[in-house]
Amino acid sequence: MRLKDKVVVITGAARGLAAKTSRLIASEGGKIVGGDRDIDGLRRVVESINQGGGVATAVKVDVTSKKDMIALMDAAIKQHGRIEVMVNAAGGYFHYQGMIETTEDEWQSVIDSNLKSTFLGCQAALPHMVKQKYGRIVNISSLAARTYSYFLGAHYSAAKAGVLGLTRHIAYEYGPQGICANAVLPTAFRGERLSEIMSPEQEKDLIGKIPLRRLPEAEDIAPVIVFLASDDARFISGASIDVNGAMVTA
Ligand SMILES: NC(=O)c1ccc[n+]([C@@H]2O[C@H](COP(=O)([O-])OP(=O)(O)OC[C@H]3O[C@@H](n4cnc5c(N)ncnc54)[C@H](O)[C@@H]3O)[C@@H](O)[C@H]2O)c1
């Protein structure tokens, strides 16, 4: 068990990648404190983990609120006394209509839910990690950070590129305190979000661009997050790990 008794705070865990990752972390012995604004969805995930013999708690949060992110950490500390791992996976999106059509509110919302949220999650977790002289931060970016996003647009690409800079800076600033920070950059993977944004024809077209010739599942991404959260990755910090089937290399 690679995460035995490690306390893992993870955002966006009501569905998609973070829900799958939470289940995998629990199977590796980690104790989950999940945060999401969709509290009903999050409770369903948490209950299934607990029924399977894991340990998980649900906390309703808006990841763009500093107060909520501090309350999420407080809940973890109150229950377990420490936070070893912080996974920032929550994020929002809009159907992209084009740069010219993007409203200021849409821009701000995408930047806030993907980039500010990651900053707030790290900022709220770090004091506990510094105190412990131990911490693992895993921030979920995207292939869009290296290239662009046909479907989610300029604000999304900018926010996910910002996550890389933020992650590298944390690795530099808090490395001396025993804290590793890394980013994971998936290409589009199957799940609720993908079926909301892509047609079957668009999926087929995308698969043709991936040298491994299939779309990944969340199950192809979650083990990478677990690895970075574990001590197997203890000398990896400041890295941006591509999980894209060779769609973009180097
Ligand atoms: N789905 C993909 O193909 C893909 C590809 C590359 C990167 N990513 C990134 O991976 C991560 C997970 O993606 P996914 O497809 O599983 O996401 P998803 O859309 O299925 O789920 C996102 C979760 O975040 C929560 N959330 C959104 N805004 C929130 C807010 N302000 N406060 C609290 N909770 C909020 C939602 O309620 C939801 O449960 C995201 O950061 C996403 O940008 C996804």
Side-chain angles (χ1 to χ4, degrees):
M1 285 209 172
R2 287 178 296 166
L3 294 171
K4 188 155 174 38
D5 293 331
K6 301 274 196 236
V7 178
V8 181
V9 178
I10 178 165
T11 65
R15 70 173 207 176
L17 177 60
K20 295 271 164 54
T21 303
S22 297
R23 292 197 175 94
L24 186 60
I25 288 170
S27 75
E28 291 281 354
K31 296 174 176 173
I32 293 290
V33 180
D36 205 295
R37 64 183 171 194
D38 171 10
I39 190 64
D40 294 336
L42 183 58
R43 283 205 181 107
R44 281 194 290 276
V45 172
V46 157
E47 272 161 28
S48 80
I49 291 173
N50 289 332
Q51 277 161 12
V55 179
T57 315
V59 183
K60 182 171 181 171
V61 294
D62 175 352
V63 291
T64 68
S65 153
K66 180 169 176 153
K67 192 168 121 283
D68 281 13
M69 294 311 280
I70 291 172
L72 177 61
M73 303 310 150
D74 287 348
I77 294 294
K78 193 168 170 212
Q79 190 164 357
H80 301 295
R82 58 193 200 283
I83 298 165
E84 274 93 6
V85 181
M86 175 71 210
V87 181
N88 290 291
Y93 66 92
F94 292 97
H95 289 274
Y96 189 57
Q97 307 293 334
M99 260 295 285
I100 294 171
E101 292 76 8
T102 299
T103 66
E104 224 178 313
D105 283 353
E106 283 170 353
W107 171 270
Q108 200 58 54
S109 167
V110 170
I111 298 291
D112 285 355
S113 67
N114 287 282
L115 179 55
K116 180 185 173 193
S117 61
T118 304
F119 163 70
L120 292 176
C122 294
Q123 193 189 46
L126 277 165
H128 304 287
M129 293 178 170
V130 167
K131 209 182 290 171
Q132 297 159 183
K133 290 231 163 260
Y134 181 98
R136 300 282 180 265
I137 289 173
V138 185
N139 293 329
I140 310 307
S141 175
S142 168
L143 173 59
R146 289 215 193 281
T147 56
Y148 41 81
S149 173
Y150 321 95
F151 295 100
L152 302 186
H155 36 17
Y156 183 78
S157 303
K160 291 303 195 184
V163 167
L164 300 188
L166 171 67
T167 307
R168 286 195 286 261
H169 188 91
I170 293 168
Y172 154 74
E173 190 175 342
Y174 289 97
Q177 323 275 350
I179 293 161
C180 297
N182 293 291
V184 175
L185 289 70
T187 187
F189 53 83
R190 286 194 196 284
E192 293 95 329
R193 179 185 293 206
L194 196 84
S195 46
E196 287 163 9
I197 62 177
M198 261 188 230
S199 68
E201 295 71 42
Q202 287 168 325
E203 273 187 30
K204 230 174 118 193
D205 185 48
L206 181 57
I207 290 168
K209 297 190 172 92
I210 302 176
L212 285 179
R213 288 291 182 270
R214 68 176 175 88
L215 275 182
E217 310 284 335
E219 285 82 351
D220 293 304
I221 321 288
V224 181
I225 301 171
V226 168
F227 166 67
L228 291 172
S230 79
D231 286 331
D232 288 344
R234 59 191 170 275
F235 212 68
I236 300 177
S237 193
S240 301
I241 308 288
D242 293 308
V243 192
N244 65 33
M247 202 172 161
V248 171
T249 57

